[in-house]
Amino acid sequence: MKNLIFTKIVFTGILMFVMTNAAVSKSFAAGLGEMKTRMRTSFNYGWKFIKHDIDEDQIKGAEKADFDDSGWRILELPHDWGIEGPFTEGPFTEEVESAEGCLPFPGVGWYRKTFEAPPQGKHVFIQFDGVMKNAQVWLNGRKVGKWPYGYSSFYFELTPHLNYEKSNVIAVRCDNQAESSRWYPGSGIYRNVWLTVVDPVHVAHWGTYVTTPEVSDSKAIVRIQTQVQNQTSESKEVALETTIVDAEGRKIAANETSGKIGANGSKKLDQMLSVRNPVRWDIDNPYLYTVITRVKAGGKITDEYRTSFGIRTFRFDADKGFFLNGRNMKIHGVNLHHGLGPLGTAVNRRAIERQLEIMKEMGCNAIRTAHNPPAPEQLELCDKMGFLVMDEAFDEWHKGKVANGYHNLFDEWAEKDLRAMIQRDKNHPSVILWSIGNEIPGLGSPKGAAIAKTLADICREEDPTRPVSIGNNARYKRVADAINVLYVVGWNYRSGTGEYDEKQRIQAGLKQLATETCALVSSRGVYLFPVKKGTNGCQNGQVSSYDLTNLGFGGLPDEEFRAQEECSFVAGEFVWSGFDYLGEPEPCQDVARSTYFGIVDLCGFAKDRFYLYQSQWTDEPMVHLLPHWNWPGREGEVTPVYCYTNCESAELFLNGRSLGKKLKQKGVYRLKWEAVTYEPGSIKVIAYDEAGKALCSKEIKTADKPAVIELTPDRAEINTGGRDLCFVTVKIVDKDGIFCPTADNRVNFKVEGPGQIAAVGNGNPISYESFRANQRKAFNGLCLLVIRSEQVPGKIKITATSEGLKSAFLTITTMKTKLSIF
Ligand code: GAL
């Protein structure tokens, strides 16, 4: 939560760097004039970029201040150079070719930015939320530092190398290789960059640690440990004034302490504050408090720092699973990779927020950040929107899964990366677990067990308040030594193997969680016949959406629902995976570039199983029906109809005739009418409660030929500033407005006014069309247009045309909103 003052500072900063974009700004000092103490500004604007190594051009020295970068492209961060394409098209003979998404992310890229120093006497830090990967950073030709892991946030102090008489140039070199990941990793400075300017006596980077050692209905004890840094050459008597404000900004607790900090030293100051009648942070009421920390030295305020936190309790229990604020509940989670579909990996707050909104609508309450530290924005949004988070560090330890994976860095960097993750993320109430890894090769060996202990000890040292876990796919017996040093064991795909087993729970006292479940694959809107479990596999690059096709290592959602119901001692599940992502295109790896594992497709359009989870994870009456009802040529053929509902029973009607009512029974999660013979017209389902009262219904009608384009924006008003997005669903319907479920018309877009096309997509895993275009073919009736705002407010007019179809028009308003942080 940001207050108005902070927002104003951020805004001033953003505007300032926009100006920097046009011409090197002389206004840094002017901007600072308004600032009393700390200023944290976006450092995303006005970068120059080139996508190759400098030596290749026989030009050396891109790190030097006077290097001629006049021919380089000007861009804004965050930037993922891989998503710009073009794709390498299949068919592929080697699995590795499509595993990373078929986009040109490997290689070297350089970024440079010119800026003015703040006034002398201030200390200046640069923070990169993530650079993919092998980042090396120079300021005015002098090496400032390096950070190889692409998912870690890291920072460097710039002060000693700053020029005060002339401009400064920061240069960043990234180097990513093929076979560095098991999914599309993206490349470049793909997360936000920040510049922080502080007085010499200030709160250290990630320097507050807020915990709640005691929580009851009447009172919470809030412990605030603050690392204060004195960057002067004399020791300082420092006062620390700490205030807690509630979500409405009311001051509810305060405390002042003091300490002496030696010259060029730092000290941790410890305070306990008490909050009366605390409002709990919960998934349904994600209530946030803020700690405002003021540092005073020499009679003046030298720093003001804000930390958002929540008051909540949780525990894992070997007998009863998971408790949040004393309430026993199941974790209904999904795994998410960091990619944002057609937008690539370049972080965008609104795109992450939309992902979480879609997951929330399904009833999802938890995210596992597979398999790496997430963008900070993801955690901020989880705090605000009420998601629990399993924050994960690594996909590899000392043994590799891919040739250029993290195992090459592990020995030198694992401790630094793990500490960086925890130090950055430890104040987020959403985070309930530290995960030290995923499916670690060699976990069962003595070395694996020793590493597990070392990593778990680091987690406990940094943050003793959260349990340590892992995503493990090996049998307990094989990895017991490693697992036993953890607090919660995370099982990947073990529900069918008897691993969630009473015996183990009792013998080993294991607290258990399913960290990866299901291996269901499907393409949105594709239905293949005959309908049978486990059959069909990949046909012409598509997988059936009857939700019965699973890969061997995992089961169907239904099997996991059953296991979770039977095993009340298991804390819940994280499904693999919430969204489709680029790469890992099993079982069509020879022709496809993105996965089929997602519950929703790459564009965020729900596949059928979205509603299967919704029927299990939500209470608001809902009913869903499949397949679509456009089957020319199948007249008279058996065409099974499935229904997903959270109601007691449902009745199916074909062209108004009842095909019978079916009752939901324990352990059965879909209602099936297997013997329906297809005839065009209408298929309709009505869902009832126990007393037979109709609660909801769904009808699918056979569509005539495609005739009209429909545009539906996710929001009609967005913020200016060039960061906010509008996601427009493009739908093909017939002359009566009925959805055409197999339409593949190419739609052309024209955008006028202060907006631009950020991306297009359609969710088809075998499409090699660019995501950066002003046209897109529909895939099974839908495609997506993503519009990005510009700096100025106004009306963005969108026109969608397609040969033979009635055009569509849409206007979106962009507005300057004071509270916007986009
Ligand atoms: C798991 C792995 C995930 C993903 C998934 C689907 O074994 O942990 O990262 O690869 O399989 O293939």
Side-chain angles (χ1 to χ4, degrees):
M1 191 189 8
K2 314 265 185 290
N3 82 352
L4 278 172
I5 301 166
F6 181 74
T7 311
K8 194 171 160 213
I9 290 170
V10 169
F11 245 82
T12 316
I14 288 173
L15 286 177
M16 199 170 71
F17 282 100
V18 174
M19 294 191 288
T20 310
N21 209 353
V24 174
S25 168
K26 298 279 173 236
S27 62
F28 207 136
L32 277 176
E34 291 177 25
M35 187 197 98
K36 295 284 176 289
T37 56
R38 167 179 297 261
M39 185 174 77
R40 184 176 188 252
T41 53
S42 169
F43 209 53
N44 288 339
Y45 301 91
W47 287 81
K48 298 256 187 115
F49 170 70
I50 200 156
K51 193 185 151 186
H52 60 71
D53 214 352
I54 299 309
D55 292 354
E56 284 171 28
D57 258 4
Q58 311 301 316
I59 317 161
K60 305 251 187 240
E63 73 279 7
K64 302 216 173 77
D66 58 0
F67 179 83
D68 179 12
D69 60 13
S70 55
W72 291 22
R73 175 176 154 195
I74 297 172
L75 50 70
E76 281 171 21
L77 306 178
H79 171 236
D80 165 17
W81 78 61
I83 202 71
E84 294 168 3
F87 280 107
T88 305
E89 286 195 33
F92 307 105
T93 45
E94 303 267 334
E95 198 176 308
V96 289
E97 289 184 85
S98 56
E100 293 175 296
C102 314
L103 283 161
F105 71 85
V108 170
W110 279 88
Y111 297 82
R112 285 167 53 89
K113 177 181 164 83
T114 303
F115 67 101
E116 300 299 301
Q120 253 170 319
K122 298 277 179 188
H123 284 259
V124 182
F125 296 83
I126 189 164
Q127 180 186 327
F128 294 88
D129 286 348
V131 179
M132 191 64 75
K133 66 179 207 176
N134 289 314
Q136 298 187 67
V137 182
W138 293 264
L139 178 63
N140 300 324
R142 264 159 299 176
K143 187 83 173 266
V144 175
K146 65 171 187 178
W147 205 287
Y149 192 27
Y151 295 104
S152 282
S153 294
F154 57 94
Y155 61 95
F156 302 120
E157 176 156 15
L158 300 182
T159 327
H161 307 304
L162 280 172
N163 290 328
Y164 291 95
E165 303 305 321
K166 53 180 183 175
S167 300
N168 292 272
V169 178
I170 189 146
V172 181
R173 180 182 187 270
C174 325
D175 183 0
N176 204 355
Q177 309 106 308
E179 293 186 56
S180 63
S181 176
R182 297 188 300 110
W183 55 89
Y184 174 68
S187 273
I189 310 182
Y190 74 108
R191 288 182 180 166
N192 288 303
V193 184
W194 305 96
L195 202 73
T196 302
V197 182
V198 285
D199 278 356
V201 182
H202 58 93
V203 175
H205 201 88
W206 299 324
T208 55
Y209 181 34
V210 184
T211 54
T212 50
E214 240 183 86
V215 179
S216 70
D217 286 347
S218 56
K219 191 173 91 173
I221 301 290
V222 182
R223 179 177 184 194
I224 301 143
Q225 297 171 72
T226 309
Q227 193 75 34
V228 183
Q229 208 168 340
N230 170 17
Q231 291 194 279
T232 69
S233 51
E234 43 192 65
S235 77
K236 292 273 177 195
E237 189 63 41
V238 167
L240 193 68
E241 196 185 281
T242 298
T243 310
I244 296 178
V245 297
D246 66 13
E248 287 74 44
R250 287 179 299 234
K251 180 173 164 180
I252 52 164
N255 176 291
E256 188 163 337
T257 188
S258 59
K260 197 177 182 128
I261 310 179
N264 290 312
S266 86
K267 187 174 212 156
K268 192 185 280 175
L269 297 173
D270 205 341
Q271 290 165 295
M272 295 280 193
L273 275 73
S274 169
V275 172
R276 267 190 289 143
N277 306 321
V279 182
R280 308 296 166 87
W281 180 94
D282 208 307
I283 49 172
D284 301 323
N285 182 30
Y287 192 92
L288 294 170
Y289 291 91
T290 304
V291 170
I292 303 175
T293 308
R294 278 200 191 99
V295 181
K296 286 188 198 157
K300 66 173 188 119
I301 297 172
T302 58
D303 197 6
E304 182 173 307
Y305 187 86
R306 275 152 202 272
T307 312
S308 170
F309 76 103
I311 298 175
R312 43 89 176 121
T313 60
F314 70 90
R315 70 188 164 92
F316 288 84
D317 185 285
D319 295 325
K320 298 202 176 91
F322 180 70
F323 290 79
L324 180 65
N325 294 321
R327 192 176 82 251
N328 189 213
M329 59 169 274
K330 281 275 188 192
I331 290 174
H332 294 149
V334 295
N335 284 274
L336 286 184
H337 275 317
H338 69 312
L340 297 169
L343 292 161
T345 59
V347 161
N348 179 282
R349 180 182 289 268
R350 171 59 200 156
I352 299 173
E353 183 180 55
R354 174 178 179 257
Q355 282 196 333
L356 294 174
E357 282 169 3
I358 293 168
M359 291 296 104
K360 189 118 208 162
E361 195 191 327
M362 186 171 72
C364 167
N365 61 24
I367 306 294
R368 174 175 176 231
T369 69
H371 301 296
N372 42 257
E377 290 77 6
Q378 189 175 9
L379 296 182
E380 284 166 30
L381 287 162
C382 285
D383 286 351
K384 280 186 187 151
M385 296 170 74
F387 285 89
L388 304 167
V389 175
M390 179 174 192
D391 201 350
E392 188 150 276
F394 308 117
D395 192 44
E396 289 182 6
W397 291 354
H398 58 303
K399 287 193 172 181
K401 297 179 182 175
V402 284
N404 298 312
Y406 190 75
H407 64 281
N408 296 314
L409 300 171
F410 186 81
D411 287 345
E412 194 187 337
W413 285 89
E415 178 170 353
K416 292 184 214 109
D417 284 317
L418 186 58
R419 287 194 195 276
M421 176 179 100
I422 300 174
Q423 286 170 13
R424 189 196 68 176
D425 296 346
K426 63 189 182 297
N427 292 319
H428 288 282
S430 55
V431 176
I432 55 159
L433 283 166
W434 302 121
S435 169
I436 54 175
N438 173 59
E439 299 191 351
I440 296 301
L443 188 67
S445 66
K447 180 161 183 186
I451 295 175
K453 177 157 184 346
T454 306
L455 297 179
D457 286 346
I458 293 170
C459 294
R460 290 181 193 119
E461 191 187 306
E462 290 288 343
D463 172 37
T465 73
R466 289 176 180 88
V468 185
S469 189
I470 194 166
N472 165 60
N473 61 338
R475 281 201 172 275
Y476 175 65
K477 270 192 262 166
R478 286 193 42 227
V479 291
D481 289 348
I483 295 294
N484 290 344
V485 305
L486 307 177
Y487 185 87
V488 175
V489 52
W491 300 118
N492 285 10
Y493 312 105
R494 305 306 299 174
S495 63
T497 63
E499 219 77 29
Y500 311 154
D501 171 325
E502 293 273 1
K503 250 193 324 212
Q504 270 164 18
R505 174 169 67 90
I506 293 159
Q507 281 170 7
L510 289 183
K511 299 181 175 77
Q512 308 184 53
L513 170 68
T515 32
E516 275 181 47
T517 60
C518 296
L520 188 65
V521 277
S522 62
S523 307
R524 174 182 52 76
V526 172
Y527 305 93
L528 301 174
F529 300 96
V531 176
K532 272 200 229 141
K533 178 176 176 329
T535 56
N536 295 320
C538 178
Q539 285 187 21
N540 301 322
Q542 304 299 348
V543 182
S544 181
S545 197
Y546 267 99
D547 294 341
L548 292 169
T549 310
N550 59 308
L551 301 192
F553 57 86
L556 299 179
D558 317 54
E559 291 156 26
E560 189 62 39
F561 292 153
R562 214 166 295 131
Q564 291 286 334
E565 272 171 10
E566 283 165 9
C567 305
S568 52
F569 52 88
V570 178
E573 65 167 316
F574 287 94
V575 182
W576 191 270
S577 62
F579 274 68
D580 275 347
Y581 47 92
L582 288 160
E584 227 186 19
E586 279 88 354
C588 308
Q589 54 273 44
D590 50 343
V591 287
R593 49 70 169 155
S594 57
T595 196
Y596 301 78
F597 284 112
I599 298 173
V600 302
D601 74 11
L602 201 69
C603 291
F605 300 135
K607 300 183 190 173
D608 290 290
R609 68 189 130 116
F610 175 92
Y611 302 97
L612 184 55
Y613 285 100
Q614 198 179 50
S615 73
Q616 195 60 13
W617 290 354
T618 68
D619 295 329
E620 190 65 28
M622 55 72 58
V623 65
H624 178 75
L625 199 56
L626 67 108
H628 65 68
W629 216 239
N630 264 61
W631 299 106
R634 281 193 71 76
E635 286 81 359
E637 289 201 44
V638 171
T639 306
V641 175
Y642 290 7
C643 157
Y644 303 151
T645 181
N646 53 10
C647 302
E648 277 298 303
S649 63
E651 187 172 4
L652 190 69
F653 297 86
L654 176 58
N655 288 326
R657 301 187 310 273
S658 172
L659 299 187
K661 200 170 185 175
K662 291 191 189 283
L663 205 63
K664 265 190 104 181
Q665 276 156 5
K666 194 169 163 40
V668 178
Y669 305 94
R670 353 182 166 195
L671 300 178
K672 299 180 186 174
W673 287 262
E674 299 276 16
V676 180
T677 32
Y678 176 69
E679 57 185 69
S682 142
I683 189 95
K684 179 174 179 180
V685 69
I686 302 180
Y688 305 98
D689 67 7
E690 250 173 82
K693 186 173 151 222
L695 294 179
C696 48
S697 67
K698 170 98 199 233
E699 182 175 18
I700 304 177
K701 289 184 178 162
T702 307
D704 202 344
K705 57 180 192 315
V708 179
I709 307 169
E710 265 182 23
L711 298 179
T712 313
D714 64 339
R715 292 175 305 151
E717 288 173 358
I718 62 171
N719 291 296
T720 53
R723 306 281 309 124
D724 202 1
L725 301 174
C726 178
F727 289 83
V728 183
T729 300
V730 182
K731 198 170 164 186
I732 311 296
V733 298
D734 73 3
K735 60 180 187 330
D736 299 318
I738 298 169
F739 176 56
C740 297
T742 56
D744 62 356
N745 308 64
R746 183 173 296 285
V747 184
N748 305 299
F749 304 109
K750 192 164 119 199
V751 177
E752 295 163 283
Q756 289 164 15
I757 297 179
V760 291
N762 65 12
N764 182 356
I766 56 166
S767 167
Y768 290 90
E769 289 186 63
S770 173
F771 294 127
R772 300 282 170 93
N774 58 3
Q775 38 79 26
R776 189 67 173 192
K777 259 181 112 154
F779 172 60
N780 291 329
L782 297 176
C783 63
L784 178 75
L785 169 69
V786 189
I787 299 290
R788 186 190 296 278
S789 69
E790 290 180 354
Q791 297 300 333
V792 289
K795 303 264 182 219
I796 306 173
K797 288 189 184 149
I798 299 159
T799 308
T801 56
S802 181
E803 212 184 311
L805 303 186
K806 191 169 168 225
S807 306
F809 306 93
L810 175 70
T811 303
I812 308 164
T813 308
T814 64
M815 303 195 307
K816 215 175 213 151
T817 316
K818 263 201 184 160
L819 289 172
S820 163
I821 43 165
F822 287 104

